[in-house]
Amino acid sequence: MEGQELPYVLIDCIGGKHGVYEDHVEFLEKHFHLVTMKEYLENKKFLSKKIRAIYMWYHKPVINEELLQSLPNLKIVANSGVGIDHLDLKLLSSYGVKVSNTPFVVSTDTADLGMALMLASSRRLVEGYQMAVSPDTEYFPADWVGAEVSGATLGIVGMGNIGYKVAERAKAFEMKILYHNRNQRNKEEESSVGAIYCKKIDDLLRQSDFVLLSVNLTPQTCRLIGKRELELMKPTATLINISRGLVVDQDALVEALQNRVIKAAALDVTYPEPLPRDHPLLQLRNVVITPHIGSATKKTRRLMMENMTDSIEAGLAGLPVPNEVLL
Amino acid sequence: MFMSKAFSLLKPVRLKMSGQSNEADRFIHPAAASRGQHCRRSVDCERRYKTHRGSAGRRPTSAPQIKVMAEEELPGVLILDIGGTHGVLENLAALLKKHFHLITMREFLENKKELKKKIQSVFVFECRPTIDRELLESLPNLKVIGNSGVGVDHLDLKMISKFGVKVTNTPRAVADPTADIGMALMLASARRLVEGCQIAVSPETKHFAVDWLGVELTGATLGIIGMGSIGYKVARRATAFDMRILYHNRNRRRKEEEEAVGAHYCEKMEDLLQQSDFVMLVVNLTPETHKLIGKKELELMKPTATLINISRGAVIDQDALVEALQNKVIRAAALDVTYPEPLPRDHPLLKLNNIIITPHIGTATVQALHMMAEEAIANMLAVLNGQPIPSEVFPK
C-alpha cells in the first residue's frame, strides 16, 4: 500500500499490566497507525476524525456514548476474546459501528483450563502442593485422598465451541458425558464424543459428578446456577466455571459450599474480578480460583491479535467482517 | 472423611478345598461381565480388571457373600497397623478381614511364638511394614507379600525370593488415577495454576494483569518415557488435547497401539528430549532407570520444556534438576514423587518458583485405594490357593 496512509486505530495503551502487548506492536504497526488514549486526548481535534477503528484489548479503552459521539468515522470495534457482555451492542449498532470478537482461537486453551480445574480440584492439587512444601510437613498421611476424574460423570452446560472441546478431552478420561444446550447437537457430533443430551438442566445436575459451565453470559444465562440448581446437584459434586462469574449466583454458591450442599467449586471467573479481598469465597477450603486465565497463553493471545487485525481491515474495506458479532 | 462402603468383590475362600471358585481367574467384575462390558484391545487388558462405569465412576459394587468363616481359620496376613499415620485405612482393613485373619505388627511382636506360624501373607501398604531379613526369617509359613501399588522398588526382590516368598503388585488399579495425575500436573504447570490461585486469593491483589501468561498444551509435543500401562493411558488422554506424542520405551509397541494414540517411537531417548515441550517420566525404578534424567538429559531438553515425574524420585538426579531449574536450562518441573518423601524442609526444590510438587498422590483416590486392596487380596489368595497369579513380580 505505497503512499497510502495506514488506518488510525485507537488503543488504550501499550505495555504495563493492562496494555496492548509490547511484542504485538510490531505486527500491529505494519497494519495500523496506533493511537493511544493519551495521544488521542492530547490531540482530539485532529485525531477524532482520523480514528476509524478501536482495538479493544481486555475491555480497554472503555467505550461509552461520549466516545462514540466524538469519533464520527468509527466503523468497527475489535474485541479481544469471545465474551462481549461488557459491550453495549445496541448502542454501538445505533452509531453504525460493527463489532468483532475472537471466538475460535480461545476454544482449546479455555477447554484445557476447564480440564485443568477439574483435575486440580478433584485431586486436591493445590492443597497437596501446599502440604508438599509446607515447613510443618513431617510426613505424608496415608488417609489423604481425593476423588477420581476417570470414569466419573461430567455434565457440560453450554455445548458451543468450548464445551465441545471439553467433551473431546473428557472422553479420553473415559468420563460419561452429559450436556445441556439451547439446541441439541447433531448425532455425529454427539456420538463422536459420546455425549448424551439433557433437555432439562435438572437431569444433568442430578447425575453429574462434575458440572462445567461453558455458556456465554446473556440475560438468559445470568444466575443460571442458583440455590435451586446447587441443591439439585449431588453433595459429592464439583462445580467448574469457565464462562462468566455472573452465570452463577455467587452468594448462593458461598452458602452451598459452606453447608456442603456441593463438595467443591473451581472458578476461573468471578464477579467482580478480582473479588474483594474479604470475600467469603477466598476463605473457603473447598474452592480453587484462578485469575481468569482461560485464554492466557502466548500463542493464543498472538492469534487473537491477528484475528482482530483481520477483522478491522475487513471492516474498514467494507468487506464481510470475520468473527463479526451480530445483534 | 472419605466414603466407606461395604464392597465385596470376592467371596471368602476356604483353603485347600476343591471345587472352590477361582478368585483370581474371576477378576472380571461381576457387574462388568454381566453387562457384557466391551473390553478394548490394549496390552494392559489381558483380563478386564475394570469396574463398570456407573455414574460414580470407577466404584466397585457389592456381590453376594458366602457366610464368613471364623476368623482364626482364615489365613493370617500381617499389616503394620490399622489407622494412625501410616496404618492401613480402616475400610481397607475391613476388606482384608473378609478373607484373612488380620495381625498387626504390634500384635505379632507381642506374641511372636503363636502368631509366627499363622502369618502366610504380608499386605504392604504405602511401603510398610518394611520387609527385611529378620522379618522373613521369623515367618516360616510366609508365602506371599501383596504390595498395594505397582512400584516395588522398596522391596528387595532377590532376598525375598530366596526365602521362597512370592511378591505381587497392583498394576491395574493404579493406571487410571496415575495417568490422571500426570495430566493434572502437566496442565497445572503449563497454565501456572498454582501461581494463579495464589494471585487470585492474595491479600495484595488489586487487579489481574493481562500480560500474565502460561504455555499451551494443544499442539505441543509430549514425550513419554516409559510406555507401560500408565504411559499408554497418558498418551490416550494427551491425544485428545491435540498433542503430538513421542515415546521412548525398552520395547516398541505394536503399530495398532501406536496408531490408536498417535504415538511416535523414539528409539533414542535423546531424540525425544530434544523435540518435546513436555517430558513425562512413567518408568518403574530399577538400576537401569536410576538417575535416568541427569544433567546431560536436562541440557538436551528445550529451554521452554517442562519435566513431569510420576514414576519415582530417584529416576531423576535431583541435584542436577535443581541446577537446571535455577539456571532456566528447562522452563519448569512438576513432580508427584521425590527422593525422599517428603523432602527435607530446607531442600532447594521447595524454594523454586518454577516447580510444582505434590505429595505422591498418584493413587490417592477413594476408588484407587479400594481397588488396590482388592487387587492385592486377589493376588495373595491366588498364591495361597495355588492358582494363577494375576500380577506376580519377579526379581531380574
Side-chain angles (χ1 to χ4, degrees):
Chain A
M1 286 222 169
E2 291 245 11
Q4 211 164 339
E5 208 183 33
L6 292 176
Y8 281 58
V9 174
L10 181 66
I11 62 172
D12 188 62
C13 64
I14 294 172
K17 263 190 164 184
H18 304 284
V20 170
Y21 296 169
E22 297 210 26
D23 58 354
H24 287 182
V25 171
E26 193 184 334
F27 181 95
L28 289 166
E29 285 186 335
K30 287 202 175 81
H31 299 263
F32 308 125
H33 180 139
L34 297 177
V35 177
T36 65
M37 206 53 178
K38 183 162 179 280
E39 289 167 343
Y40 167 67
L41 293 170
E42 285 171 354
N43 196 357
K44 251 190 179 177
K45 217 166 166 197
F46 173 68
L47 291 168
S48 59
K49 292 198 193 80
K50 292 287 228 175
I51 288 167
R52 300 172 64 209
I54 295 179
Y55 181 88
M56 191 174 212
W57 190 249
Y58 287 90
H59 301 203
K60 290 194 160 83
V62 173
I63 296 177
N64 52 26
E65 183 125 38
E66 191 193 329
L67 185 65
L68 291 172
Q69 280 169 349
S70 49
L71 298 174
N73 294 319
L74 181 66
K75 296 276 176 297
I76 180 165
V77 171
N79 180 67
S80 65
V82 61
I84 35 91
D85 45 280
H86 56 285
L87 290 173
D88 187 338
L89 295 180
K90 268 210 177 115
L91 180 67
L92 286 158
S93 175
S94 72
Y95 279 81
V97 176
K98 294 190 181 203
V99 176
S100 71
N101 63 352
T102 62
F104 302 107
V105 293
V106 302
S107 306
T108 53
D109 276 359
T110 311
D112 288 357
L113 190 77
M115 294 299 294
L117 284 171
M118 179 161 65
L119 285 160
S121 176
S122 190
R123 300 302 292 270
R124 300 172 65 191
L125 193 137
V126 179
E127 277 181 84
Y129 165 80
Q130 288 163 345
M131 181 176 14
V133 304
S134 160
D136 303 324
T137 295
E138 289 169 17
Y139 60 86
F140 296 154
D143 61 349
W144 194 100
V145 285
E148 277 202 31
V149 165
S150 277
T153 300
L154 169 64
I156 301 175
V157 180
M159 193 78 137
N161 292 320
I162 296 171
Y164 195 77
K165 291 210 182 264
V166 171
E168 285 174 342
R169 284 145 178 74
K171 175 168 189 272
F173 288 75
E174 293 174 46
M175 299 188 85
K176 180 177 174 202
I177 300 172
L178 308 173
Y179 78 101
H180 174 75
N181 205 39
R182 276 174 300 193
N183 310 304
Q184 187 168 1
R185 284 213 171 221
N186 68 45
K187 272 211 158 65
E188 296 81 60
E189 290 174 332
E190 282 187 343
S191 62
S192 174
V193 294
I196 298 165
Y197 184 57
C198 289
K199 193 161 181 187
K200 291 203 226 139
I201 198 178
D202 294 21
D203 294 333
L204 180 151
L205 296 170
R206 285 199 180 93
Q207 300 178 66
S208 299
D209 300 304
F210 299 92
V211 174
L212 189 146
L213 308 176
S214 45
V215 289
N216 52 353
L217 178 61
T218 64
Q220 292 75 37
T221 62
C222 187
R223 290 212 172 88
L224 179 67
I225 303 296
K227 187 169 153 80
R228 188 190 83 92
E229 289 72 27
L230 292 161
E231 283 173 358
L232 284 170
M233 285 170 66
K234 294 182 179 184
T236 50
T238 301
L239 180 70
I240 300 143
N241 191 2
I242 52 170
S243 56
R244 283 291 181 270
L246 283 173
V247 171
V248 176
D249 176 346
Q250 248 168 216
D251 295 333
L253 178 63
V254 170
E255 221 183 289
L257 289 165
Q258 283 169 341
N259 301 331
R260 312 235 163 235
V261 170
I262 62 172
K263 186 176 80 154
L267 318 170
D268 186 40
V269 287
T270 59
Y271 185 77
E273 288 167 11
L275 288 167
R277 299 293 86 189
D278 59 356
H279 196 282
L281 274 176
L282 303 183
Q283 329 298 343
L284 292 166
R285 204 186 48 84
N286 49 350
V287 183
V288 169
I289 306 179
T290 45
H292 200 155
I293 51 174
S295 67
T297 67
K298 249 190 156 159
K299 248 196 201 164
T300 292
R301 294 279 162 91
R302 191 160 187 98
L303 285 170
M304 278 163 61
M305 179 271 288
E306 290 173 4
N307 276 195
M308 290 163 72
T309 302
D310 289 342
S311 296
I312 290 174
E313 287 192 320
L316 297 181
L319 295 166
V321 175
N323 301 323
E324 184 175 356
V325 180
L326 300 163
L327 255 182
Chain B
M1 236 191 337
F2 47 84
M3 293 182 292
S4 199
K5 297 208 186 256
F7 295 115
S8 176
L9 259 190
L10 310 163
K11 302 178 207 151
V13 176
R14 283 170 194 267
L15 292 179
K16 301 181 184 146
M17 277 186 70
S18 58
Q20 184 65 47
S21 63
N22 182 343
E23 295 304 338
D25 224 32
R26 262 208 319 110
F27 218 57
I28 293 174
H29 190 283
S34 67
R35 286 171 87 207
Q37 184 75 356
H38 165 62
C39 174
R40 263 195 331 271
R41 257 189 88 241
S42 63
V43 162
D44 58 327
C45 178
E46 284 143 8
R47 287 176 210 151
R48 190 67 183 156
Y49 173 62
K50 196 106 168 68
T51 58
H52 78 288
R53 278 175 285 289
S55 67
R58 302 187 328 135
R59 210 156 36 125
T61 57
S62 55
Q65 259 182 277
I66 286 177
K67 178 172 168 243
V68 181
M69 300 172 59
E71 197 192 32
E72 290 69 46
E73 295 177 49
L74 295 172
V77 70
L78 178 67
I79 63 172
L80 179 73
D81 197 0
I82 299 177
T85 57
H86 300 296
V88 172
L89 304 185
E90 287 204 33
N91 64 332
L92 305 179
L95 290 176
L96 286 165
K97 279 183 185 165
K98 293 198 170 84
H99 308 278
F100 298 96
H101 169 192
L102 220 59
I103 299 164
T104 67
M105 203 56 161
R106 185 156 18 109
E107 288 167 347
F108 170 62
L109 295 171
E110 284 172 359
N111 193 0
K112 259 191 179 176
K113 215 169 168 196
E114 214 196 292
L115 293 173
K116 58 194 278 191
K117 294 203 196 80
K118 296 205 183 226
I119 292 169
Q120 299 189 50
S121 52
V122 180
F123 177 65
V124 175
F125 178 72
E126 311 229 341
C127 303
R128 291 178 169 91
T130 306
I131 309 293
D132 55 21
R133 186 173 289 278
E134 194 192 324
L135 183 67
L136 292 167
E137 281 169 352
S138 60
L139 299 173
N141 291 328
L142 181 65
K143 304 271 182 309
V144 58
I145 292 167
N147 188 64
S148 169
V150 66
V152 291
D153 45 281
H154 54 287
L155 297 170
D156 186 338
L157 298 178
K158 265 208 179 117
M159 176 184 70
I160 295 167
S161 168
K162 289 204 175 94
F163 283 84
V165 175
K166 293 186 193 286
V167 175
T168 65
N169 63 354
T170 63
R172 290 171 180 81
V174 306
D176 278 336
T178 312
D180 286 0
I181 268 288
M183 294 301 295
L185 284 171
M186 181 162 63
L187 282 160
S189 179
R191 302 303 292 271
R192 299 170 66 189
L193 193 135
V194 175
E195 272 182 85
C197 287
Q198 289 165 342
I199 289 169
V201 306
S202 159
E204 324 285 307
T205 294
K206 297 197 169 67
H207 324 272
F208 292 158
V210 305
D211 62 345
W212 193 97
L213 303 172
V215 302
E216 277 197 4
L217 230 70
T218 300
T221 300
L222 168 64
I224 301 174
I225 297 179
M227 192 78 136
S229 303
I230 301 172
Y232 194 77
K233 282 181 185 272
V234 171
R236 200 183 275 287
R237 284 150 176 72
T239 263
F241 287 74
D242 262 324
M243 297 188 84
R244 177 172 161 244
I245 302 181
L246 308 173
Y247 78 101
H248 176 73
N249 205 40
R250 275 173 299 194
N251 310 303
R252 190 170 175 167
R253 283 215 172 218
R254 292 196 321 265
K255 196 152 176 248
E256 306 84 68
E257 293 173 333
E258 288 185 344
E259 283 173 4
V261 296
H264 303 275
Y265 184 57
C266 287
E267 195 171 341
K268 292 207 227 135
M269 196 172 75
E270 291 74 32
D271 292 334
L272 180 152
L273 295 170
Q274 283 168 329
Q275 299 178 65
S276 300
D277 300 299
F278 298 88
V279 174
M280 193 177 303
L281 306 175
V282 202
V283 289
N284 51 353
L285 178 61
T286 65
E288 292 75 41
T289 62
H290 185 256
K291 285 203 170 119
L292 181 68
I293 304 295
K295 185 169 155 81
K296 169 169 160 300
E297 289 72 27
L298 292 161
E299 283 173 355
L300 283 170
M301 285 170 67
K302 294 183 181 183
T304 50
T306 305
L307 179 67
I308 300 132
N309 191 3
I310 55 169
S311 56
R312 282 292 181 270
V315 170
I316 297 179
D317 175 345
Q318 251 170 211
D319 296 333
L321 179 64
V322 170
E323 222 183 289
L325 289 168
Q326 283 169 343
N327 301 331
K328 311 260 181 222
V329 170
I330 62 172
R331 183 194 75 103
L335 317 172
D336 187 41
V337 288
T338 59
Y339 183 77
E341 289 167 6
L343 287 168
R345 299 293 87 189
D346 58 357
H347 198 282
L349 277 176
L350 302 181
K351 317 254 177 330
L352 296 164
N353 69 354
N354 49 351
I355 192 168
I356 296 178
I357 305 177
T358 44
H360 200 154
I361 52 175
T363 56
T365 70
V366 174
Q367 297 93 327
L369 290 177
H370 192 101
M371 289 171 78
M372 287 194 291
E374 293 200 331
E375 196 172 353
I377 290 168
N379 270 283
M380 291 189 290
L381 291 175
V383 172
L384 298 182
N385 294 341
Q387 288 158 347
I389 306 162
S391 43
E392 183 176 357
V393 190
F394 301 97
K396 286 259 164 6

